[in-house]
Amino acid sequence: MNKQVPKLECEPDPVNKPSHYTQGRFEVIDIIEDSMSQEAFLGYLLGNMIKYLLRCQYKHQDAGSEDLKKLTWYASKYIAQQESRD
């Protein structure tokens, strides 16, 4: 039987919940979103997707997979924002 071990909350997750963005009570992404119009926030998300795509092959020794995972995180956030507008 092959059981999946649940991820412990204390394990680092550099894509979905980077520790350097969650030092206080609020995540930085939530503060950024709250400080912008929805249109500006969508632009912010697109800019981050471009950033992670363009540097993925140069930054990490993991063939860029961490940056590509971050790109997909921002893409998912973008899609959720767009769907909430409809």
Side-chain angles (χ1 to χ4, degrees):
M1 190 179 331
N2 208 0
K3 286 188 175 181
Q4 257 189 326
V5 177
K7 191 170 192 173
L8 298 175
E9 196 61 38
C10 61
E11 288 184 37
D13 184 349
V15 174
N16 296 299
K17 207 165 187 70
S19 61
H20 56 281
Y21 287 150
T22 55
Q23 294 299 314
R25 294 183 348 198
F26 306 101
E27 276 199 63
V28 174
I29 189 72
D30 296 327
I31 296 168
I32 292 169
E33 179 180 2
D34 198 46
S35 72
M36 298 178 159
S37 68
Q38 189 172 33
E39 201 64 34
F41 187 59
L42 287 171
Y44 169 81
L45 295 172
L46 284 172
N48 275 295
M49 285 186 269
I50 293 166
K51 171 182 73 174
Y52 285 114
L53 178 62
L54 294 178
R55 71 182 192 179
C56 68
Q57 60 185 329
Y58 304 110
K59 187 174 177 222
H60 299 289
Q61 299 303 316
D62 62 357
S65 65
E66 185 174 302
D67 274 5
L68 291 172
K69 288 175 186 173
K70 289 179 181 180
L71 181 154
T72 59
W73 186 91
Y74 279 101
S76 295
K77 188 97 170 148
Y78 183 89
I79 291 166
Q81 288 286 315
Q82 287 286 45
E83 288 175 347
S84 73
R85 293 175 77 178
D86 299 336

